[in-house]
Amino acid sequence: MCGIIGYIGNQQAVPILIEGLKRLEYRGYDSAGIACYDTEKGEIVRIRAVGKISELEKKLRDTVIRASTGIGHTRWATHGAPSENNAHPHKSGPFVVVHNGIVENYRELRSKLTQEGYQFTSDTDTEVIVKLMEYLWNENKNEWKAFQKTIQNIRGTFAIAIICEHLPDRIFVARYESPLVIGVGEEGYYVASDIPALLPFTQKIIYLNDKEMALIKKDNLEIYNFNGEELEPKIELITWSPTLAEKGGYRHFMQKEIFEQPRAISDTIKPYLNVEKGIVSLPYASALENVFNTIERIIFVACGTSYHAGLVGKYLFEAFLGLPCEADIASEFRYRPSILTPRTLVVAISQSGETADTKGAIKVAKEMGAPTCSIVNVLGSSLSRMTDSVIYTHAGPEIGVASTKAFTSQLAALVLMALLGIQIREGKTSDEEFISALLEIPHKASKILDSSSQLEKWARPISKAQTVIYLGRNLLYAVALEGALKLKEISYIHAEGYAAGEMKHGPIALIDERVPVVCLTQRGFFFEKMKANIEEVRARGGKVYLVADELLRKEVSELAHELFFVPSTHDLLIPFLFIIPMQLLAYYVAVEKGTDVDQPRNLAKSVTVE
């Protein structure tokens, strides 16, 4: 959840740390801080502030720090309310730490250290890490050994970076189930929780794996596993352009990312689909070739927006392959007794590839002998390394906390995976009509974006509501859930998505003239059913905001308070197009209400702790 940045090299550290923190602020924005070894003062200078990075910058305006080594942190509070005392970095003796994760045995460690005479100044679990390191260092005066022993005594999840006044030319880092990457630059080394923080400085990345630690100096680094065995660093080149992590003239990252979806969908499809032959090839998922011939069931596990993508996957795979499928919330799946066999494929979906509950679900699946596959957006992420197969989406960095282009890219990956399943199980190439419709999706998505101003007009009345209901059927039920989630996340309006047929089983009690009802409908069999639901809403005074297939223009012309039409497409591809108006509507409502669109309260981008 929190964001870590670090630098050691030949340049001034403070501007690098601040730039990195700004690019990590989507991971947490309750407080922020930096700590640097000031070469003129001969000591570590620590500056912390409550609130966003801008508050930290204000404190730094009148402070001159000459430093080429430093660490920084932006916090999403877990233990302890947002305050300057609880803000990272935390200091004890000569050591300063930044941490992302949760120390599960912090009470036990705190009690022990208190008995040894250490006084705590914060309510955080993190402070025990740096107190423990000082305590262990006092035993032998060896910083590296003290760091190793500190890691061995911590239970929980963590990404840690520590600097020391005695050794200003090095940074100690370690990770376990929380992301941490090392950047290799011409002028030094960088450490960060996520790749976007490093893009302005380098595209050469070393992924630190679970149970690995590193000793980083200005001109070299050493990587070890937790057993102390030295490992060979593996440098990978990230192809993301630094400009992808910029707003590029848009008011918000979320707005930019909504408008990037035609490219993101296209970039996810094209590398894997041979259009002329109608063949799908997934280079990192070769294990699926054997799996698809033997499986009898598929389970999609994910959280939040990715879970809604999994629901779409359930409908897609049942339609394409005739296999029973389930979509399960990862935090429920991992703690519930599951019946898994080698004939059950478990598919994990996560934008970051670091979602704690989704990783936990995959651990369960692997322990029970089930084949696994992940759909992720980040090369080298934890999930991609945990699963037998991986399908990479090509959305580029997604900075806005409310996920948009990651969702549609995940849908693209699920479609490709389903097509591969047909290819393997039935030995036939993909249907030309379906492939043609799939390739038209980016263009049709662009058409919707060109009409976005229509949805902006809906924002004012909806922004005044206390509750909004979203209704859809079949694949559009999943879109209704995702639409409601988007509105909740960034506008703070209570919103719920329902399968429209369930409306009479409770939600209809909420409907009156003050409740906007967003209805999603496609042509065909489901339209007649949905039409009846809309009439029931109107009969109770509800205001209907209808998003419909453009082929239904005549049938729905007098059916709703407001209308928006999406281009017609193949029935199994409609989520790609219907979700875009939902994202735009949530965005415009949030702007109308004046909320913080990119960094909504209490939320962080990547949920790396339970």
Side-chain angles (χ1 to χ4, degrees), residues 436-454:
S436 177
L438 178 62
L439 294 174
E440 288 175 356
I441 290 295
H443 172 67
K444 291 181 176 181
S446 295
K447 287 181 65 177
I448 294 172
L449 293 168
D450 290 341
S451 303
S452 62
S453 60
Q454 295 179 40

Side-chain angles (χ1 to χ4, degrees), residues 215-382:
L215 177 61
I216 307 175
K217 303 178 183 179
K218 286 188 177 184
D219 53 3
N220 69 78
L221 83 161
E222 302 162 11
I223 296 178
Y224 301 86
N225 62 27
F226 282 8
N227 294 324
E229 300 165 335
E230 188 166 3
L231 307 171
E232 187 69 27
K234 182 182 178 183
I235 299 175
E236 299 192 34
L237 184 65
I238 297 300
T239 57
W240 287 353
S241 165
T243 58
L244 286 175
E246 305 284 352
K247 287 183 184 175
Y250 288 91
R251 184 174 177 181
H252 298 97
F253 278 112
M254 182 182 179
Q255 182 188 25
K256 173 177 178 277
E257 288 156 8
I258 291 171
F259 278 79
E260 284 179 334
Q261 286 178 112
R263 177 204 57 78
I265 295 167
S266 179
D267 286 355
T268 299
I269 293 170
K270 285 184 177 178
Y272 306 128
L273 178 63
N274 184 321
V275 178
E276 292 182 1
K277 296 181 180 180
I279 293 174
V280 172
S281 177
L282 300 174
Y284 299 100
S286 57
L288 288 178
E289 294 182 12
N290 293 325
V291 169
F292 271 128
N293 277 322
T294 59
I295 57 169
E296 298 173 346
R297 183 170 64 128
I298 300 173
I299 300 176
F300 300 96
V301 292
C303 302
T305 287
S306 295
Y307 166 68
H308 298 151
L311 281 174
V312 174
K314 165 185 164 63
Y315 285 100
L316 281 173
F317 277 70
E318 288 182 344
F320 274 119
L321 303 179
L323 282 172
C325 298
E326 301 170 31
D328 211 338
I329 296 169
S331 57
E332 292 293 313
F333 175 89
R334 66 182 295 196
Y335 294 119
R336 187 182 67 248
S338 299
I339 302 172
L340 300 177
T341 73
R343 293 184 180 274
T344 303
L345 172 62
V346 180
V347 181
I349 309 172
S350 168
Q351 186 279 139
S352 66
E354 302 293 346
T355 309
D357 284 316
T358 308
K359 292 195 301 182
I362 287 298
K363 281 186 178 179
V364 170
K366 293 183 77 67
E367 287 168 1
M368 299 188 73
T372 58
C373 178
S374 59
I375 295 174
V376 299
N377 190 45
V378 181
L379 183 72
S381 56
S382 295

Side-chain angles (χ1 to χ4, degrees), residues 383-489:
L383 268 176
S384 70
R385 296 195 298 270
M386 290 172 67
T387 51
D388 306 320
S389 299
V390 57
I391 303 171
Y392 288 109
T393 57
H394 294 275
E398 189 178 63
I399 307 301
V401 167
S403 185
T404 52
K405 63 178 179 176
F407 177 76
T408 45
S409 298
Q410 288 167 352
L411 298 188
L414 286 163
V415 169
L416 292 169
M417 188 178 172
L419 292 175
L420 179 67
I422 293 177
Q423 196 172 294
I424 293 169
R425 289 175 70 89
E426 300 181 15
K428 63 182 184 182
T429 57
S430 301
D431 177 80
E432 288 185 17
E433 183 181 348
F434 182 83
I435 293 296
S436 177
L438 178 62
L439 294 174
E440 288 175 356
I441 290 295
H443 172 67
K444 291 181 176 181
S446 295
K447 287 181 65 177
I448 294 172
L449 293 168
D450 290 341
S451 303
S452 62
S453 60
Q454 295 179 40
L455 293 159
E456 194 169 5
K457 296 174 184 176
W458 294 14
R460 180 165 293 179
I462 290 178
S463 70
K464 294 177 171 61
Q466 292 186 328
T467 294
V468 180
I469 292 175
Y470 288 70
L471 299 176
R473 285 178 177 265
N474 195 253
L475 283 160
L476 293 181
Y477 163 51
V479 177
L481 290 174
E482 176 62 9
L485 177 61
K486 289 282 108 30
L487 192 71
K488 276 185 279 197
E489 284 180 313

Side-chain angles (χ1 to χ4, degrees), residues 86-137:
N86 288 335
H88 297 215
H90 290 286
K91 188 175 189 298
S92 186
F95 302 105
V96 181
V97 67
V98 290
H99 165 233
N100 172 31
I102 290 180
V103 180
E104 294 174 354
N105 61 332
Y106 88 98
R107 294 184 186 278
E108 170 191 328
L109 292 172
R110 185 168 179 143
S111 175
K112 176 183 176 181
L113 290 165
T114 300
Q115 291 173 13
E116 294 291 337
Y118 286 86
Q119 295 182 345
F120 287 79
T121 60
S122 79
D123 301 316
T124 69
D125 56 335
T126 298
E127 195 178 1
V128 301
I129 298 172
V130 71
K131 297 286 185 190
L132 179 62
M133 183 153 176
E134 185 192 6
Y135 170 72
L136 294 170
W137 172 72

Side-chain angles (χ1 to χ4, degrees), residues 478-524:
V479 177
L481 290 174
E482 176 62 9
L485 177 61
K486 289 282 108 30
L487 192 71
K488 276 185 279 197
E489 284 180 313
I490 62 172
S491 75
Y492 316 144
I493 294 173
H494 175 254
E496 295 296 335
Y498 291 97
E502 287 292 295
M503 186 179 66
K504 292 189 289 293
H505 296 273
I508 198 168
L510 298 173
I511 295 174
D512 59 25
E513 65 280 359
R514 298 166 297 177
V515 178
V517 182
V518 180
C519 297
L520 312 172
T521 188
Q522 64 196 100
R523 68 189 187 283

Side-chain angles (χ1 to χ4, degrees), residues 180-206:
L180 199 65
V181 293
I182 299 170
V184 182
E186 297 295 328
E187 298 292 335
Y189 289 94
Y190 308 82
V191 178
S193 297
D194 212 345
I195 291 168
L198 303 182
L199 290 179
F201 314 114
T202 183
Q203 289 178 281
K204 294 179 180 179
I205 302 296
I206 297 171

